[in-house]
Each structure stands twice: as structure tokens, then as C-alpha cells.
Amino acid sequence: MKKNNWIRTLVGLLLFGFYSISSAGTDISQRLQDFIAKTEAVATSGKPTAEKASLIDAEYAENFGTRASAIPDDELAAFFAATQYLMFYTLDKSKLPLFEKIFDSLVDAHQATPDQYRQLLEMYYALREFEKANALIEQYNPHSLQGPITVNDLTSPAARRTAWIFQANRGLTRRAVDLQKGLHLIIIGSPYCGFTKRAVSQIEGDPTLAPLLREKVTVMAMHDFNFNYDVYTRWNRLHPSLPFTLTHSREEWPEVTHWVSPVFLFFRNGKLESTFSGWRKDGDVEKVYKGFGITVSSASELISR
């Protein structure tokens, strides 16, 4: 699935950073290399996402657990790389202040690189910290083609599940996702994932499912590090009946044990009823039928339930 490509890209970038840390000494370089190797083994183990995150966090704490202010200048690049690698797998927002402080220290030491700026920006987008992404662009790259995003959070603290909805003029609005009435299908995937795009396109093109799309199906993008606002809006213009929204946090979807692309979750009156993941090359529309408990003849009746 597409996430494997991100993993290979990230490992390549970090290994490049590892080999370029010439002034950090053998110890920090070896620790970074060992950390990359161990976390890569955990990441490909097939364990549930939360378990993998816990194991990787423990490895990080053992090898790189310290205050940002205590990191010597010649070790900043290695600590930045290790922290970025940690957050790529865990999406642990509690580590974001540390990541930011390491980046600020790199800037103060005149060591910050365009790649490190890009990685911090990607982290902000993956963690849905859009205001911080806007501030970073304004400070370091005001002429970026990416540009700022207008953010409007309309949710209450009591909202259990939420989604970011794409609006006109580079806008994003966060709203509550209501699954409390009847059947609903949540598809979590990525616009960069061929499996997800094929699944959504085939579901959208199925005449039996057509009456259900707007009211009963929601497509949500998982957290990724390739965020590009224009990619989403281009998809949404071409697929108005199944537009992409953005998940806000993994914690809002405890039913997802393995964050892979795509995942299909069928809820009835707010409770998970069934789930499956992946999408075969020749299609899995019958699984969607089964999840909704419908036949071709009964599809039109489901919309009124």
C-alpha cells in the first residue's frame, strides 16, 4: 500500500542525513543508525499501530531521551532526524514542542536546512496544526506556492469525531462527524494511494450504491506527510459525490487498529458493526454491499432508514 512508499522515502532521507552528520561523532551516528534499523523492523512487523508506536517510543526514549536545551550543537541534526522518524510513526503531538525546539536550535546555530524546514512543515500538516504551518511559511518561505490555509474550527470540545472539510479559497473547516443515526460507511485512505482511489472511484460509479453516497458514505484522508491542498481539491472537483475530508486525530477513531490505506468502517447508530481493509484489483464492491446489508433491489430503501 502507498504508505510503504513514504516509509522508503523517509528512510532514504534519514540515512542520507546520517551519513552527512560528519561532525557529530561515531556515538551519535551509530545511535541514529541503530534507531532507524530497530524502528524499521517494528514498523514492518504487522503489529497494531498503537503497539508499534509504543515500541518505537521506547526505543527513542532509550537512545534520544533528553531536553532540547541539553543537545550539543554538533548533535542537533541527528536528534532532529530521530525525532522526525519517531513522530512519523507515532503522530505523538506531545513530542511536537521538542521537535520545534530542536529546529529553532538548528536555526540559531545556522545549521537548519531546507529539508528540515520541509519536514517540520509536513509534520504540522500531518498533525493538523494548520495555523502553525501558516506561521512557518510566513516566517521562512512567504513566496511558497503552497501558501497559507484559512482555518475555521466549528467543533465543540465535546465532539467525539471530527473532520476537516475543504472549502473555497484555500479554506478548511473542522466539523463534527455524526454517526448516531442509522448506517454509515467511513472510508479512511489517501488520495496518493492507488487502492483508495480505485475503491472510491468504483463505489462512486456503482449504480446500486449511488443513492447512498451523499448521506451514508464519508471519505476521510489519514494523516500523511505528502499533504498538498491542491491535490485534494482537484480530486474533490472530479468526485463531488465522494469528496475527501481529513481525519483530525487517530484518537477519534479507536476502532482502527491498523492504520493502512484504505480502511472501511460500517457504523450503525454510532457503533462499529463491521470493517475490512484493502481493495482488490478487480474490486470489492460486494463487501460494501454486505456492510450495508443490501441487495441491488433494496439499495433505494436503505436511504430512508
Side-chain angles (χ1 to χ4, degrees):
M1 294 181 184
K2 188 65 177 177
K3 188 168 184 179
N4 290 333
N5 292 334
W6 307 342
I7 294 171
R8 287 193 291 269
T9 301
L10 180 64
V11 171
L13 287 171
L14 290 176
L15 286 174
F16 175 80
F18 157 69
Y19 287 118
S20 66
I21 300 169
S22 57
S23 62
T26 303
D27 179 60
I28 188 65
S29 299
Q30 188 62 52
R31 281 158 56 198
L32 179 58
Q33 184 183 40
D34 291 345
F35 176 68
I36 290 173
K38 290 177 180 177
T39 52
E40 180 68 4
V42 172
T44 56
S45 66
K47 297 178 184 296
T49 299
E51 184 178 349
K52 290 192 292 187
S54 179
L55 292 170
I56 292 171
D57 186 71
E59 285 289 344
Y60 179 88
E62 181 178 345
N63 290 280
F64 293 94
T66 188
R67 293 174 292 107
S69 60
I71 302 172
D73 284 356
D74 62 352
E75 296 187 358
L76 286 169
F79 270 82
F80 184 89
T83 307
Q84 200 253 3
Y85 200 66
L86 165 76
M87 296 179 70
F88 176 84
Y89 286 113
T90 66
L91 288 174
D92 184 356
K93 192 174 285 192
S94 72
K95 298 293 194 304
L96 184 58
L98 171 63
F99 195 49
E100 293 170 320
K101 288 177 182 177
I102 296 173
F103 180 78
D104 290 342
S105 296
L106 284 163
V107 172
D108 292 342
H110 304 288
Q111 296 180 26
T113 67
D115 269 350
Q116 290 162 342
Y117 158 82
R118 176 183 54 78
Q119 289 163 359
L120 178 56
L121 182 64
E122 289 173 346
M123 191 65 66
Y124 284 147
Y125 286 136
L127 295 176
R128 312 313 189 205
E129 292 284 353
F130 298 111
E131 295 285 13
K132 289 191 172 186
N134 289 343
L136 188 70
I137 292 172
E138 178 63 27
Q139 183 174 2
Y140 292 106
N141 194 15
H143 303 297
S144 168
L145 294 177
Q146 188 88 306
I149 294 171
T150 302
V151 180
N152 189 18
D153 192 337
L154 299 181
T155 60
S156 72
R160 180 183 175 191
R161 306 180 197 269
T162 64
W164 289 95
I165 300 168
F166 289 84
Q167 308 286 357
N169 301 317
R170 294 188 64 80
L172 278 172
T173 298
R174 185 181 173 206
R175 297 182 182 275
V177 176
D178 185 7
L179 303 176
Q180 297 305 308
K181 184 179 179 180
L183 275 167
H184 202 100
L185 168 61
I186 298 291
I187 304 172
I188 298 177
S190 167
Y192 307 101
C193 170
F195 296 98
T196 297
K197 291 191 290 186
R198 183 159 55 249
V200 175
S201 295
Q202 291 179 357
I203 291 170
E204 185 178 41
D206 187 284
T208 301
L209 297 173
L212 310 179
L213 300 185
R214 291 188 180 276
E215 298 296 329
K216 299 291 185 180
V217 183
T218 300
V219 182
M220 307 186 73
M222 62 199 304
H223 303 76
D224 63 59
F225 292 81
N226 292 327
F227 181 83
N228 186 309
Y229 186 95
D230 294 333
V231 168
Y232 286 93
T233 54
R234 189 158 51 245
W235 170 277
N236 291 353
R237 285 195 300 271
L238 296 173
H239 302 270
S241 58
L242 283 181
F244 262 105
T245 63
L246 303 176
T247 53
H248 178 67
S249 72
R250 287 177 175 173
E251 287 72 24
E252 292 182 347
W253 302 96
E255 297 87 355
V256 181
T257 58
H258 294 74
W259 282 81
V260 296
S261 177
V263 175
F264 301 80
L265 304 111
F266 293 88
F267 289 88
R268 183 186 294 275
N269 300 329
K271 296 183 179 180
L272 183 68
E273 190 166 77
S274 64
T275 182
F276 71 93
S277 62
W279 192 264
R280 295 178 304 168
K281 187 174 181 179
D282 56 350
D284 276 315
V285 172
E286 69 279 2
K287 291 184 180 179
V288 180
Y289 287 1
K290 182 178 180 181
F292 275 121
I294 62 173
T295 63
V296 174
S297 60
S298 66
S300 59
E301 300 173 5
L302 183 64
I303 196 69
S304 62
R305 292 186 194 174

